[in-house]
């Protein structure tokens, strides 16, 4: 019985399901995220949203902007700011690759999900993405529904 590294169940704290509809997803990266203690506790409740967030390069570092992590209720006055920029922990080569894709090719860096890995560390799955036009979104929807119908027909027949 072989076990892969990615097979361990991950606790997903926030999921950006809309990103796969709005963007054509390219290369995907896993990044660590610098958080305060109250942010980690709040993430574990699973109420965070990353629907409108994005990542950008600033002075040689990648930052996650506009990600909403609600205040941790038990933290009283030591709470965190809900929409503060958070530093993403990536290798220099990965940061350069993401930065070049944004500058040269007009791509965007979007977060797909925030989760806790098997060691309990908060990670962000980010991807290089290109925005879809309205007609592309319609085409993707048609294709997705056709795949669903095809699977249903094959299942009923067989």
């Amino acid at each position: 019985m072989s076990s892969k590294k990615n097979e361990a169940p991950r606790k997903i704290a926030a999921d950006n399901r809309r990103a796969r509809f709005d963007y054509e997803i390219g290369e995907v990266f896993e990044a660590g995220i610098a958080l305060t203690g109250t942010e980690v506790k709040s993430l574990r409740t699973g109420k965070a949203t990353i629907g409108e967030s994005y990542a950008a390069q600033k002075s040689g570092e990648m930052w996650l902007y506009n990600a909403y992590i609600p205040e941790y209720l038990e933290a009283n006055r030591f709470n965190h700011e809900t929409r503060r920029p958070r530093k993403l922990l990536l290798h220099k080569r990965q940061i350069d690759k993401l930065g070049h894709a944004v500058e040269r090719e007009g791509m965007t860096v979007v977060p797909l999900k925030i989760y806790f890995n098997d060691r309990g560390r908060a990670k962000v799955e980010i991807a290089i993405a290109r925005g879809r036009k309205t007609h592309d979104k319609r085409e993707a929807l048609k294709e997705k529904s056709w795949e669903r119908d095809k699977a249903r027909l094959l299942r009923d027949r067989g």
Side-chain angles (χ1 to χ4, degrees), residues 5-6 8-13 30-33 44 114-124:
K5 187 177 172 184
N6 293 343
R10 306 185 296 199
K11 182 178 183 320
I12 296 175
E30 179 186 63
I33 183 167
R44 290 195 189 277
I114 298 177
Y115 61 91
F116 290 97
N117 68 1
D118 53 346
R119 294 177 58 197
R121 303 265 193 255
K123 300 286 184 181
V124 182

Side-chain angles (χ1 to χ4, degrees), residues 12-94:
I12 296 175
D15 197 5
N16 189 357
R17 298 194 341 235
R18 184 102 183 137
R20 295 193 187 277
F21 179 71
D22 288 338
Y23 299 97
E24 237 176 81
I25 303 297
E27 192 172 353
V28 178
F29 297 90
E30 179 186 63
I33 183 167
L35 299 170
T36 63
T38 55
E39 287 174 325
V40 175
K41 289 184 176 214
S42 183
L43 267 179
R44 290 195 189 277
T45 63
K47 302 250 187 311
T49 57
I50 54 172
E52 325 74 51
S53 62
Y54 63 96
Q57 188 176 9
K58 182 179 171 188
S59 64
E61 298 174 333
M62 285 300 283
W63 292 83
L64 182 65
Y65 293 100
N66 211 21
Y68 176 76
I69 299 177
E71 287 188 342
Y72 185 60
L73 297 175
E74 286 78 27
N76 60 43
R77 69 171 196 238
F78 301 110
N79 240 318
H80 60 274
E81 195 180 317
T82 56
R83 288 197 185 268
R84 75 175 183 89
R86 294 167 179 93
K87 185 176 175 181
L88 295 178
L89 309 173
L90 289 159
H91 293 285
K92 186 73 178 153
R93 191 178 296 126
Q94 291 174 322

Side-chain angles (χ1 to χ4, degrees), residues 145-158:
S145 80
W146 164 241
E147 289 296 324
R148 200 178 309 124
D149 290 343
K150 189 166 64 172
R152 191 178 301 126
L153 287 168
L154 288 172
R155 189 181 61 233
D156 290 346
R157 195 178 292 160

